[in-house]
Amino acid sequence: MYRRNDEQEGILIMADLHFEIVDFGSADYAQALALREKVLRAPLGLRFSAAEIAEEQNHIQCVGLVEKKVIACAVLVPENKHWKMQRVAVLEELRNQ
C-alpha cells in the first residue's frame, strides 16, 4: 500500500493516492465509517448511532484511497449556503507525515 522512502528516513510515500467523493452506503463509505469510528469515537468509548449514520445521507463523503483502501476521510456537512468539513480521520500510521 505504501513504501518507505530510503532517502527520507521515517517518511512514508503513498503510491497512487487519490481522493474521491463516495456514495452513502457504498463499500468505500463503510470503510470510511469504520475508520472514523476507530479514530474519532472508540478512544472516547463511543460509537455512531443509527440516527447519526442515517443523517449522513445528506452529507458529502470524501475519501483518500490507496490501492482501494480508505486511508483518510472527511465529511462535508451543509451549513447555510456553505459546506463545513467535519469528521476528518487519517489512518494512524500515516499521521504526521
Side-chain angles (χ1 to χ4, degrees):
M1 175 173 51
Y2 39 84
R3 60 182 171 76
R4 288 213 177 267
N5 181 342
D6 293 333
E7 295 175 14
Q8 298 176 337
E9 187 175 324
I11 303 296
L12 294 175
I13 305 299
M14 272 73 62
D16 302 320
L17 170 64
H18 68 279
F19 294 88
E20 293 182 8
I21 294 174
V22 298
D23 293 330
F24 176 83
S26 68
D28 288 336
Y29 170 80
Q31 282 189 61
L33 184 63
L35 177 61
R36 288 189 284 123
E37 191 153 75
K38 178 181 177 182
V39 171
L40 303 174
R41 295 293 178 109
L44 303 173
L46 302 172
R47 296 190 60 126
F48 284 107
S49 69
E52 288 172 312
I53 293 170
E55 180 63 27
E56 290 196 351
Q57 293 180 66
N58 303 316
H59 303 160
I60 296 174
Q61 312 293 325
C62 304
V63 298
L65 296 158
V66 172
E67 297 179 4
K68 299 182 182 180
K69 181 176 180 180
V70 173
I71 63 161
C73 57
V75 178
L76 300 177
V77 179
E79 187 175 277
N80 300 317
K81 295 181 180 181
H82 304 283
W83 292 88
K84 183 176 181 181
M85 184 182 293
Q86 296 182 344
R87 298 173 226 137
V88 177
V90 176
L91 203 60
E92 185 173 3
E93 60 265 27
L94 298 177
R95 294 183 206 153
N96 301 315
Q97 296 296 310

